[in-house]
Amino acid sequence: MQTVLTAAQTRFLRGQAHDLKAMLQVGGKGITDSLVAEIDLALEHHELIKVKVGAEDRDARDAMIDEIAQRTGAALVQRIGHTAVLYRPSKDRRQIVLPRA
């Protein structure tokens, strides 16, 4: 299930993600099941992560970012160049409290 955010929540999360470093990088093999599992684990632990996508073509990069968000059920907060910010609330221990919708 895809996470849906309001404009205020997206703005809040962009501010929270500003100082984060990219945790994971999509390499030459593309999006594999193990990469999706690793992103899923990182989202469960951190809730808000940055992922760097190494595709040269902008359309291919956007398609990869959309596929990652869809397969992990995360919301795409921001996309700048090769870096995407993803958010998904943790099932067990929520750390980030979003502003009201």
Side-chain angles (χ1 to χ4, degrees):
M1 185 175 105
Q2 194 86 9
T3 305
V4 180
L5 300 172
T6 64
Q9 291 170 338
T10 302
R11 250 189 332 273
F12 172 77
L13 289 171
R14 278 198 321 250
Q16 295 291 311
H18 181 72
D19 292 331
L20 293 178
K21 301 277 189 230
M23 294 186 82
L24 297 162
Q25 185 168 355
V26 180
K29 292 183 180 178
I31 301 170
T32 61
D33 289 338
S34 60
L35 175 73
V36 172
E38 198 65 36
I39 292 172
D40 202 43
L41 192 68
L43 282 167
E44 183 61 34
H45 190 263
H46 297 284
E47 294 184 321
L48 186 68
I49 64 168
K50 282 186 179 178
V51 177
K52 197 165 248 189
V53 179
E56 289 298 321
D57 182 28
R58 177 180 284 178
D59 294 333
R61 190 168 53 233
D62 289 348
M64 290 173 97
I65 291 170
D66 290 339
E67 183 182 346
I68 290 169
Q70 194 172 47
R71 285 179 67 178
T72 59
L76 178 63
V77 175
Q78 187 176 29
R79 176 185 316 171
I80 297 177
H82 293 269
T83 306
V85 178
L86 300 173
Y87 168 77
R88 190 184 71 202
S90 175
K91 295 175 184 78
D92 296 332
R93 51 193 161 100
R94 300 214 25 200
Q95 301 166 343
I96 298 173
V97 179
L98 294 176
R100 290 185 175 225

